Amino acid sequence: MSQPPQPQPATNPARMEKIVSLCKRRGFIFQSSEIYGGLNGCWDYGPLGVELKRNLKDYWWRVMVRERDDIVGMDGSILMNRAVWKASGHEETFTDPMVDCRNCKARLRADQLPQKDGVPYCSTCGSRDLTDARAFNLMFLTYVGATQDESSKTYLRPETAQAIFVQFKNVLEVSRKKLPFGIAQIGKAFRNEINPRNFTFRSREFEQMELEYFCAPAQGRQLLDYWLHERLRFYQDIGIPRESLHVHEIPADERAFYSQGTYDIEFEFPFGIQELEGVAYRTDYDLTQHINASGKPLDYFDEETKQRFVPHVVEPSAGVDRTALALICSAYDEETVTDEKGKSETRIVLKFHPRIAPIKAGIFPLLKNNGQLVAKAREITALLRPHMMTFYDEGGAIGRRYRRQDEIGTPFGITVDFETLGEKGDTLKDTVTLRHRDTMRQERIPIKDLLALLLPQVT
Ligand code: GAP
């Protein structure tokens, strides 16, 4: 299943710079608290970014929860009893190795230092004068209530998974499911990363989409491979080609001691091949830890075999922000196009899968000062709007309006012109030009057929 080590494709910082600049210019992603100089590792999603993320999360929820009989959802709190983080092992071991540069005082991840002739050096100033590595806990400490002492300490959750484990029994009882069954959750997670980097890739605040899939011990290995395949299919169904995905099987000596198998699904970002999602067979580790620490039974009684046991779990855990970034990187394209006057220009286009694209259709009256064209275009907007995100635009030459939508990945352009109004006879009356983003092909479609044509493509 895992691929032999591949030669790393060359990184492309220039491409990444263009993507970051497009994200800001067109309102996908802004620096958090920008007017105050930002906050390292934190990002705000603008009008297009929030649509992109919402489409991604909605599609994940649809295929992982709504379209399956064996998975239910939940939404746990971000703050939990500190006992959860003691039992899960996070308080003790959720650490990264950190070094300080004695020269420039930078704090750096010891396992990510650049090296020259086998000697690590500071990625900020180049000095080799570094301290020994020490463990730095990534959880954000906070206090609950008005008193700030040992008894009120807890942490912002560094993963959504633990809420699922500690609610396993409640959810099992209310949903009346039998093993194998899963609990899915999407939500924020927080890690005080030593070196946030690569735009949103490694952030301090981010979102996860996690499934804990509970099963009998004998099913674990097989389900690990099943979930790997399901998840690979998911990425292709949102438009990330299989060729840009890599599967890295973590060797036994690098896995967590309780794991009986872990795959990383990786993507070829312009800054290198990096993890999008982990699919891990975590055995009965988490439930057992919580049984031991809480004293509460979190086991399962199998009616058929009359056996009682602690379920094993397979966990596909994906990052929303990383996947959104992969979608943007994968979709970004530059083409040279020549207009009818023979003038060449660069067309920037985000080739998003229509189901992921923030805006599904741009709607354009040919002229903004013609009341009839405008009224018809508004009518089409009202027709499509309850079903998909549309954008009405009457400003500038029609070619410019198409380009603006290409740059943000809108798959369809709908233009209302004089033919729509019936000026060239009844055959074309109440038809529009439908323009396809990737091919720039244009066709004539009756307004009454638009919804039925577009809806299956964008959902
Ligand atoms: N419950 C298992 C777990 O949290 P993980 O590999 O630490 O596993 C799962 O995280 C996913 O969460 C990662 O594959 C990644 O997509 C996302 N993720 C983790 N840390 C992140 C960070 N600092 N910034 C953005 N996404 C992150």
Side-chain angles (χ1 to χ4, degrees), residues 41 90 94 158-162 165 189-191 193 196 200-210 212 235 264-265 275-278 280 282 315-323:
H90 283 82
F94 195 61
E159 61 169 20
T160 65
Q162 294 305 320
F165 294 125
F190 303 83
R191 296 182 190 179
E193 298 284 354
T200 56
F201 179 82
R202 190 175 302 289
S203 309
R204 288 182 167 138
E205 174 176 341
F206 55 95
E207 271 182 290
Q208 291 185 316
M209 305 182 280
E210 297 201 294
E212 306 303 324
Y235 289 108
D264 280 352
I265 299 177
E275 177 190 329
L276 275 186
E277 165 160 0
R282 300 176 64 101
E315 175 197 67
S317 170
V320 176
D321 310 77
R322 281 190 191 177
T323 309

Side-chain angles (χ1 to χ4, degrees), residues 381-408:
T381 307
L383 170 81
L384 297 181
R385 227 180 211 174
H387 308 276
M388 65 188 78
M389 188 74 185
T390 59
F391 184 76
Y392 172 85
D393 185 6
E394 55 182 27
I398 197 73
R400 288 276 131 229
R401 281 183 263 172
Y402 285 151
R403 288 287 186 280
R404 284 203 289 265
Q405 293 304 310
D406 288 345
E407 207 184 38
I408 58 169

